[in-house]
Amino acid sequence: MIIENIFKEKKPVVSFEIFPPKKEAELNNIDATLKTLAQLHPDFISVTFGAGGSSADNKTVELAKKIKRDYGIEPLVHLTCISNSKEEIRQILGQMEDAGLKNVLALRGDMNPNVPAKNDFRYASELVAFIKEQGDFHVSGACYPEVHLEAPDGIADIRNLKKKVDAGAGHLVSQLFFDNNVFYDFLTKVRIAGIDAPVEAGIMPVTNKAQIKRMVTMCGASLPDKFERILEKYGESKEALFDAGMVYAINQIVELISYGVDGIHIFTMNNPVVAGRICDGIKNLV
Ligand code: FAD
């Protein structure tokens, strides 16, 4: 199934994101997570590519194969280019082709001081164009409602996003955000810029105060006052923050669906309990 086409048939599309476990033994345990996620019937599951990841130790394609073969769910394979050469990217695309995997989320990847850049690609748009030359792949891209941290301003960032779409990205997944108004403003600008590709809203259900503080610093997302108050009040109680975090994410999703967004992409952090709570909260809306 081509992911772009799911958006022609369904609204909203609901997808999950998972990451490959670091250790080989954990890759076997991922079945318990996948089994629960599969019962929630996501439209597709995206699999991250290790930050600064080299092609040699990447388990992304392996896990994507498992998702398709054992669970019959379409995977979206993340692929980063800053630390990979054209030849390495070709090899990964070859592995994908052999496994019948057609959908790629083309990313630049974050600069990692421990993994030198290979200089074959500067931007994700160059990777998108390269993948399109290599075969019959369907390419997605990332976008940033609160502006990518390295972009000089929002206009430049959207101009660059347009280059990525013009290079062949037919579907966009947003960075996480906690204020829906930020996403609506972004979407308006994206459409004014002439970008017609479906844009999925990235939702991060929060379960841990320290983790979320770290994440927002890394990705530049802002925390609205009402969210800060929740962290302040429930941040020290695991159970209370879990409840509050799930309700916050469900409220965000309900509002986004009523607004008419193309899709919701849930960063599950490989936690089936989280995905289950969210899906249960929206089961009659999608
Ligand atoms: P780009 O689209 O290349 O943009 C990067 C910066 O360059 C932006 O500031 C943009 O404005 C600017 N730019 C783009 N084109 C041009 C141009 N032609 N001229 C000048 N400036 C330009 N990282 C991982 O390592 N693994 C993952 O699996 C992963 N998954 C992700 C999933 C999602 C949904 C998102 C939102 C991000 C993910 N990331 C992942 C993080 C991502 O790699 C980083 O955010 C990275 O810093 C930017 O990647 P990009 O593909 O958006 O880059």
Side-chain angles (χ1 to χ4, degrees), residues 48-49 51 78 107-110 123-124 144 148 151 157 160 164:
T48 65
F49 195 89
H78 296 211
L107 298 148
R108 187 198 66 181
D110 280 322
Y123 304 112
Y144 300 83
H148 185 262
D157 208 27
N160 293 331
K164 191 150 56 177

Side-chain angles (χ1 to χ4, degrees), residues 234-255:
Y234 305 114
E236 305 316 319
S237 158
K238 213 172 143 209
E239 292 77 15
L241 185 62
F242 186 86
D243 281 352
M246 295 306 110
V247 170
Y248 193 94
I250 290 169
N251 282 341
Q252 247 194 302
I253 295 171
V254 170
E255 209 194 86

Side-chain angles (χ1 to χ4, degrees), residues 20-212:
K22 288 206 174 63
K23 297 185 189 125
E24 194 68 40
E26 290 169 355
L27 197 57
N28 300 327
N29 295 341
I30 193 90
D31 269 312
T33 302
L34 286 176
K35 208 168 162 188
T36 315
L37 293 181
Q39 284 162 2
L40 303 169
H41 306 294
D43 292 300
F44 68 89
I45 298 182
S46 85
V47 187
T48 65
F49 195 89
S54 77
S55 54
D57 58 6
N58 125 63
K59 304 231 170 7
T60 305
V61 173
E62 210 179 311
L63 182 52
K65 273 199 247 180
K66 186 189 240 315
I67 291 170
K68 190 167 177 107
R69 184 192 60 220
D70 298 350
Y71 297 92
I73 299 171
E74 193 58 47
L76 172 61
V77 176
H78 296 211
L79 184 53
T80 64
C81 60
I82 197 73
S83 311
N84 284 308
S85 65
K86 285 188 175 171
E87 192 40 47
E88 286 165 326
I89 296 289
R90 248 189 230 109
Q91 275 175 23
I92 296 173
L93 294 174
Q95 291 164 12
M96 287 183 61
E97 202 144 40
D98 292 347
L101 304 175
K102 294 272 178 207
N103 296 291
V104 194
L105 177 58
L107 298 148
R108 187 198 66 181
D110 280 322
M111 303 295 183
N112 182 338
N114 302 319
V115 187
K118 291 244 168 98
N119 301 324
D120 271 4
F121 302 95
R122 287 169 306 163
Y123 304 112
S125 54
E126 295 173 354
L127 178 63
V128 173
F130 183 76
I131 294 171
K132 286 295 207 184
E133 283 165 17
Q134 301 307 306
D136 181 23
F137 292 102
H138 297 270
V139 187
S140 305
C143 61
Y144 300 83
E146 297 191 67
V147 184
H148 185 262
L149 277 175
E150 293 162 40
D153 55 53
I155 293 177
D157 208 27
I158 288 183
R159 282 208 181 107
N160 293 331
L161 183 62
K162 176 89 166 63
K163 288 178 198 159
K164 191 150 56 177
V165 172
D166 289 346
H171 154 235
L172 300 170
V173 187
S174 95
Q175 183 56 282
L176 60 93
F177 61 90
F178 296 102
D179 181 346
N180 286 353
N181 288 326
V182 169
F183 186 76
Y184 304 147
D185 286 350
F186 170 71
L187 212 48
T188 304
K189 290 176 191 149
V190 161
R191 298 307 180 214
I192 290 171
I195 297 171
D196 296 327
V199 183
E200 273 190 287
I203 297 295
M204 171 65 77
V206 171
T207 57
N208 179 309
K209 184 177 171 182
Q211 177 201 40
I212 206 62

